Amino acid sequence: MNRILYFVALLIPLRAMAGTGVPEMKGENGYVEPFRMFDNVYYVGDKWVSSYAVETSSGLVIIDTLDFPYSMWIPDNLKKLDLDDKKVTHIFVTHGHSDHVGGAEFLQSLYGSKVVMSEKALELAKEQALKSQGKSKFFPPVVESFAEDSSNIVVGDTEFKFYITPGHTEGDLSIDFFVKDNVQLYRAFVVGGHGTNFQKPALAKQFMASMARIKRVAMEDPVVTVNLSNHPHKNNLFSNQELSANDITTNPFISKENFFRFIEQQEVLATEEIKNEHEPSGSTNANKSNQPTANGSAD
């Protein structure tokens, strides 16, 4: 029976890859070279969506998996970073939009990883998977147990704390853990979803409450100093990468001010969007273009 299950598992990646090849690794497709951010954290995402590989004493944890088929770049990125000999033990998904969960099933079937996400996130992932088609067709991952609010999981020498922080979607999962830089530990935070979702108006109020909660949690000692945003433009990732390449004395990814400024920006944007949503229907508003797209996956 185990042998049969093994061969079935081998066939799953082939199903995911059917009808498509690995997208060409070029800037026009959104490809960026992977790079090390900390002693134990690497960027393996693309130009638009973040994906992080966290190295623990028992293997790798991948946080978010990009849209399929661009998630097929992640194994190659791990190889470029000399991490391909590490077991990918876990995959954490921040929410159920395709650009974050699209590659989870592919990577899970490739590595035999445990996928961790909220129950609501999996519900949304299933909805989005049914709508996916063509080269972007993906399947929802298998989730054996769901992340609960204020729960935690220890992977090797690294503890990850989870918070359900709805607002962008109902199942946003924020992640709290420590990164290492020259032996020193710094508290990092991944905010589960950015931007309010007006397809479900109640989420707007939940978003504001979640940002306030994140701010309170992040201020607990030791204070969060690393913003691992799930979109690179939200934490100035590439400009900080350039600074890092030119200065070996300081790590620009470590900044308490940048993290809390990011949270405050999310609150300001949400407040403006809520206000604009309640304007008379005939009013004009440039900020309307910042609202989520048809599938709600703007961020």
Side-chain angles (χ1 to χ4, degrees):
M1 178 62 71
N2 288 338
R3 182 174 296 181
I4 293 173
L5 292 174
Y6 173 75
F7 283 111
V8 169
L10 286 179
L11 289 174
I12 295 175
L14 297 178
R15 178 186 68 168
M17 292 162 59
T20 185
V22 180
E24 188 175 353
M25 294 179 176
K26 58 182 182 180
E28 292 86 345
N29 285 342
Y31 183 77
V32 296
E33 291 292 331
F35 57 92
R36 185 177 71 85
M37 299 175 64
F38 298 95
D39 297 347
N40 62 331
V41 178
Y42 304 80
Y43 187 78
V44 294
D46 60 28
K47 190 181 294 184
W48 299 291
V49 188
S50 300
S51 178
Y52 302 99
V54 183
E55 188 175 6
T56 77
S57 60
S58 63
L60 300 176
V61 172
I62 302 295
I63 300 178
D64 279 351
T65 62
L66 311 182
D67 258 317
F68 192 81
Y70 304 101
S71 48
M72 297 170 71
W73 288 336
I74 292 177
D76 287 316
N77 284 342
L78 295 178
K79 186 174 182 179
K80 288 184 176 183
L81 294 166
D82 294 324
L83 296 173
D84 53 318
D85 61 335
K86 309 286 184 182
K87 182 178 180 181
V88 179
T89 62
H90 293 76
I91 297 167
F92 297 163
V93 178
T94 59
H95 62 275
H97 284 150
S98 63
D99 52 342
H100 301 272
V101 73
E105 186 266 352
F106 165 70
L107 294 174
Q108 179 183 46
S109 60
L110 193 64
Y111 297 117
S113 314
K114 293 181 179 179
V115 173
V116 177
M117 59 197 301
S118 71
E119 187 170 6
K120 286 290 186 181
L122 182 60
E123 290 177 9
L124 178 57
K126 289 179 177 178
E127 293 174 9
Q128 298 241 313
L130 287 173
K131 296 176 183 178
S132 66
Q133 55 187 326
K135 292 183 178 180
S136 299
K137 179 67 179 176
F138 73 96
F139 302 90
V142 175
V143 182
E144 296 178 358
S145 60
F146 296 105
E148 301 288 344
D149 188 43
S150 299
S151 64
N152 72 302
I153 184 173
V154 177
V155 183
D157 58 354
T158 306
E159 179 184 15
F160 299 87
K161 296 181 180 179
F162 300 128
Y163 305 93
I164 307 298
T165 53
H168 181 59
T169 72
E170 293 180 282
D172 297 338
L173 181 68
S174 293
I175 307 167
D176 185 349
F177 68 104
F178 285 89
V179 302
K180 302 173 186 175
D181 189 69
N182 292 324
V183 188
Q184 295 294 316
L185 294 177
Y186 298 89
R187 189 175 168 208
F189 206 94
V190 183
V191 175
H194 315 150
T196 52
N197 184 337
F198 287 103
Q199 293 182 17
K200 296 184 178 180
L203 286 177
K205 291 183 179 179
Q206 288 183 304
F207 182 84
M208 295 297 289
S210 290
M211 291 302 108
R213 181 190 182 195
I214 288 170
K215 190 184 297 184
R216 290 194 303 271
V217 168
M219 283 299 295
E220 295 173 0
D221 189 49
V223 175
V224 169
T225 56
V226 176
N227 180 16
L228 294 181
S229 168
N230 57 19
H231 285 275
H233 65 283
K234 293 295 184 73
N235 63 346
N236 303 314
L237 185 125
F238 299 124
S239 58
N240 282 333
Q241 179 197 11
E242 292 181 6
L243 291 173
S244 178
N246 295 324
D247 185 357
I248 61 173
T249 61
T250 60
N251 188 329
F253 295 111
I254 302 170
S255 174
K256 170 186 172 182
E257 291 74 19
N258 286 348
F259 176 77
F260 286 97
R261 187 183 306 120
F262 160 74
I263 298 298
E264 290 167 1
Q265 287 172 346
Q266 302 313 300
E267 291 176 318
V268 169
L269 289 171
T271 300
E272 291 176 352
E273 290 176 344
I274 291 171
K275 177 183 176 182
N276 292 328
E277 275 296 304
H278 290 87
E279 287 181 354
S281 59
S283 63
T284 58
N285 172 26
N287 287 328
K288 293 283 186 180
S289 61
N290 292 327
Q291 293 177 12
T293 55
N295 67 2
S297 57
D299 281 307

